[in-house]
Amino acid sequence: MRRPAVVAALAVTGACVLVVLVAWAALLGPQEVFTGDGPQISRETTTTATDEAPVDTAGTTRDDIEQSDPPTWVRVLLNLVGGAVQLFALAGMAYVAWLVVRRVRTALALRRTREEAATGDFEALDDRQRVAAAMAQDADAQARALRQGEPRNAIVECWHRFELQAERAGLARREWETSSELALRMLDVAEVDRGAVTRLLELYREARFSEHEVGEPQRQAALDALARIRVRSGVAS
Amino acid sequence: MSDAARDTPTTVPPLSNEEATRLAAEVLDRVGQAVVGKRPALALVLAAVLAKGHVLIEDFPGLGKTLAARSFAQALGLDFARAQFTPDLLPADLTGSYVYDQRTSEFSFRPGPLFAGLLLADEINRTPPKTQAALLEAMQEGQVTVEGETHPLPRPFHVLATANPVEYEGTYPLPEAQLDRFLMRVDFGYPSADEEYDVVARRVARQREEVVVEPVTDAAGLAGLQAAVERVQVDESVGRYCVALAAATRGHAEALTGASPRGSLGLVLAARAWALVRGRDYVVPEDVKAVARAVLGHRVTVRPELWMTSASGPRIIDSVLASVPTPQTLERRDLQPQGAGPGPGQR
């Protein structure tokens, strides 16, 4: 991903430089670009005899015609177009510069994050505390939800409250994530009973996606798993 | 094979979920005795077979493709046939042909390698499209027609085809429409150093070249397993998730063409078989994610302008899996009367 970005940045920069050069050439006109102060050429010319010399009938020479100024409106138009091209080119260069700066800042921030993750335990500790706090805050409501109503809906609601707790702790379930992917992420940062979480997840899946009969035994199993999770994570029951 | 034998598996009752899962695990263990490591890839192949599908194994030579196919045939108790696909292979070499019998003064049908429970179609991309089409027609229809006479293939009938992903000279790549006939495309990949040494150590300890895998079941048992897969439940939200995944491949920026509706159907079928292998009789979104790469990866065509980049079918599927929303957590069901299970559509 990095290489195409560099290639694209270089291509845009090159294109901007080309546009600036073209704009410069357009403003100066072909006279200055092609016949201005270029390398000194030899003044010695070879003459060839011709039978008929050109006759200047109108009283003007070829150089007079080429050096005559264009009309004012053409010059104004050319200046406007040239100015606009220059502005676009400057804007393009500024955009490229902004992209480069943003990329560098992102790379630095990523590196800093990785270094912190590799060296510091404080972040993980914070996550653990946040998850524990979110669970503690919602513990009673979660247990109440599991005890109330039809067992299938109660188990689904119980797991849903887990997801809400995770969200509160900064570990929100991404919409493309499955429940087990979220559970794995939670297990990575939080100190919870893995077996109990797995059991609750199994019960949730059965309640949510199967046509099995889900009754009081499953509710009791979910209550047991929830109790184990709360004990291990330090939430008072 | 007699017609009676061909019809036998269709009358076999489905196995219970526990029995089917135990049998599937046993098959995987037996095949794992011959093919070291590669349990996830082998499980995918088994899931494809249980879902009544065919598998394309695309990988480098020497990674155990033939051994895996032979081991599956032995473990599942199926007749095994191998056809080496060469540029001069003709359709009749696969389907069989009529041979004149001078004793009876009649033409009798001599079946080709297609008439096996499990056919290894080795290097399928080395044979011309005409022969490829003959095989793919047999895969789709479950029968072959020779000289105007139709011959049903044995059931179960499965094809494990192999293709080399690097040598393209003198090959006939399968068109997208024909790739679509394979339920899964699986790659084995190189083994780790420990696994590779294990291969060497086992060969030395065995003191012979060939590996023999004891059968776990037979054709009728496999039919029972497949019948058990048919009973695996798919929640509507999971089915819609499969459809959304297939549809998302069609609009992906790197894809020229996405997966067809056959892709979403294949995804559901393979996910059901995967769920059974994992010991469930219902499908969860994780099952779909587990098989999505193998089921959809070969059904996506990458844009030609991206051929020289790292864009690929599996990468597009990964991207789609990381963007399509999974089924919602909350999906309440109405309270049912005692003894009456909740039926479909009552959520």
Side-chain angles (χ1 to χ4, degrees):
Chain A
M1 217 39 210
R2 186 171 295 174
R3 197 174 162 193
V6 172
V7 171
L10 286 175
V12 171
T13 310
C16 289
V17 170
L18 186 67
V19 167
V20 170
L21 285 174
V22 169
W24 169 76
L27 283 174
L28 286 176
Q31 288 284 6
E32 288 296 321
V33 174
F34 295 110
T35 62
D37 295 335
Q40 293 297 320
I41 57 169
S42 172
R43 293 291 177 190
E44 293 177 8
T45 55
T46 54
T47 55
T48 52
T50 54
D51 293 338
E52 293 180 8
V55 178
D56 186 9
T57 53
T60 56
T61 63
R62 184 187 174 92
D63 286 346
D64 289 341
I65 294 169
E66 285 180 350
Q67 287 177 1
S68 63
D69 288 338
T72 311
W73 69 270
V74 173
R75 275 186 293 163
V76 170
L77 187 65
L78 281 174
N79 281 336
L80 283 174
V81 171
V85 169
Q86 277 184 321
L87 279 176
F88 274 119
L90 284 172
M93 283 191 285
Y95 180 64
V96 169
W98 176 72
L99 282 178
V100 170
V101 168
R102 196 179 68 163
R103 179 151 195 90
V104 168
R105 286 180 64 185
T106 308
L108 287 174
L110 266 176
R111 183 186 292 177
R112 205 162 40 240
T113 308
R114 284 194 196 115
E115 283 171 1
E116 282 173 6
T119 57
D121 294 333
F122 301 104
E123 200 66 31
L125 195 61
D126 282 350
D127 282 343
R128 240 176 258 154
Q129 286 170 346
R130 275 205 302 271
V131 170
M135 287 173 72
Q137 195 181 343
D138 196 46
D140 292 338
Q142 187 175 26
R144 207 164 40 245
L146 188 52
R147 287 193 190 93
Q148 286 174 351
E150 203 252 344
R152 183 187 298 275
N153 288 342
I155 292 171
V156 172
E157 177 64 33
C158 174
W159 182 264
H160 181 237
R161 295 205 77 93
F162 254 133
E163 294 189 355
L164 293 178
Q165 293 163 15
E167 189 174 342
R168 214 168 288 141
L171 300 170
R173 177 185 163 193
R174 298 155 192 148
E175 62 174 8
W176 50 265
E177 259 185 339
T178 61
S179 42
S180 63
E181 285 168 339
L182 172 71
L184 279 175
R185 242 173 359 110
M186 274 181 77
L187 288 172
D188 276 347
V189 298
E191 200 171 333
V192 290
D193 188 326
R194 283 174 180 267
V197 171
T198 306
R199 178 69 183 129
L200 197 59
L201 179 60
E202 281 171 4
L203 289 164
Y204 158 71
R205 283 168 160 183
E206 189 176 10
R208 171 68 179 81
F209 296 109
S210 84
E211 301 289 338
H212 296 172
E213 192 177 335
V214 177
E216 291 306 324
Q218 282 80 11
R219 190 205 298 268
Q220 190 53 51
L223 280 166
D224 293 344
L226 185 62
R228 280 161 56 199
I229 292 169
R230 292 171 64 178
V231 166
R232 178 69 185 269
S233 57
V235 179
S237 54
Chain B
M1 183 176 284
S2 68
D3 287 347
R6 282 173 203 147
D7 293 341
T8 304
T10 58
T11 58
V12 169
L15 299 173
S16 70
N17 187 53
E18 292 75 19
E19 201 176 351
T21 302
R22 183 193 58 75
L23 208 56
E26 208 171 324
V27 168
L28 281 177
D29 289 342
R30 289 282 169 87
V31 176
Q33 289 172 1
V35 184
V36 180
K38 312 298 168 212
R39 179 93 178 189
L42 294 175
L44 281 173
V45 174
L46 180 63
V49 170
L50 296 187
K52 300 180 184 174
H54 309 284
V55 185
L56 176 63
I57 305 174
E58 204 172 69
D59 223 323
F60 301 108
L63 291 179
K65 301 188 290 285
T66 308
L67 177 64
R70 189 184 294 276
S71 304
F72 267 116
Q74 290 173 344
L76 292 169
L78 300 174
D79 292 335
F80 178 74
R82 173 180 175 167
Q84 188 68 41
F85 279 52
T86 52
D88 58 350
L89 190 76
L90 295 172
D93 297 332
L94 286 177
T95 59
S97 53
Y98 281 92
V99 179
Y100 185 69
D101 188 343
Q102 290 189 337
R103 285 173 300 183
T104 58
S105 299
E106 285 179 349
F107 282 93
S108 59
F109 182 66
R110 181 175 292 175
L114 276 180
F115 290 82
L118 197 148
L119 170 70
L120 173 64
D122 219 358
E123 305 244 35
I124 191 175
N125 56 343
R126 294 213 174 273
T127 203
K130 192 176 177 183
T131 312
Q132 290 175 355
L135 171 69
L136 296 164
E137 186 185 346
M139 287 161 56
Q140 188 68 20
E141 307 293 334
Q143 60 184 29
V144 292
T145 304
V146 182
E147 301 285 339
E149 195 164 332
T150 301
H151 301 270
L153 294 174
R155 290 184 191 275
F157 168 69
H158 296 283
V159 174
L160 297 188
T162 69
N164 187 333
V166 284
E167 290 175 24
Y168 287 112
E169 200 172 341
T171 62
Y172 303 88
L174 290 173
E176 281 71 25
Q178 294 184 350
L179 275 175
D180 210 20
R181 314 269 167 174
F182 288 98
L183 181 61
M184 287 190 194
R185 183 175 67 183
V186 179
D187 54 61
F188 281 9
Y190 281 103
S192 66
D194 287 341
E195 288 170 350
E196 199 165 339
Y197 174 71
D198 202 10
V199 173
V200 174
R202 286 189 193 193
R203 168 65 184 85
V204 171
R206 200 165 57 238
Q207 296 184 354
R208 56 190 163 87
E209 180 61 39
E210 66 276 11
V211 186
V212 179
V213 175
E214 291 299 315
V216 176
T217 182
D218 54 11
L222 176 58
L225 273 167
Q226 291 175 336
V229 171
E230 291 293 342
R231 295 196 312 182
V232 173
Q233 300 161 356
V234 184
D235 186 75
E236 184 184 335
S237 61
V238 177
R240 288 189 181 278
Y241 176 53
C242 293
V243 172
L245 285 174
T249 62
R250 293 168 212 151
H252 196 276
E254 293 180 353
L256 184 66
T257 56
S260 65
R262 190 184 284 150
S264 50
L265 180 62
L267 198 52
V268 172
L269 298 179
R272 287 200 310 181
W274 186 262
L276 190 83
V277 171
R278 305 285 297 183
R280 269 179 278 102
D281 63 352
Y282 56 92
V283 178
V284 295
E286 286 82 355
D287 299 325
V288 177
K289 283 198 165 186
V291 299
R293 255 176 149 248
V295 174
L296 296 180
H298 61 291
R299 299 172 201 263
V300 175
T301 312
V302 175
R303 285 185 179 278
E305 61 266 30
L306 300 173
W307 283 354
M308 301 301 286
T309 67
S310 56
S312 66
R315 204 179 82 156
I316 290 174
I317 303 307
D318 287 343
S319 153
V320 163
L321 286 174
S323 61
V324 174
T326 54
Q328 294 287 313
T329 307
L330 278 184
E331 190 118 2
R332 285 179 176 278
R333 297 180 181 197
D334 295 336
L335 192 63
Q336 294 299 301
Q338 197 68 24
Q346 291 179 319
R347 298 173 187 179

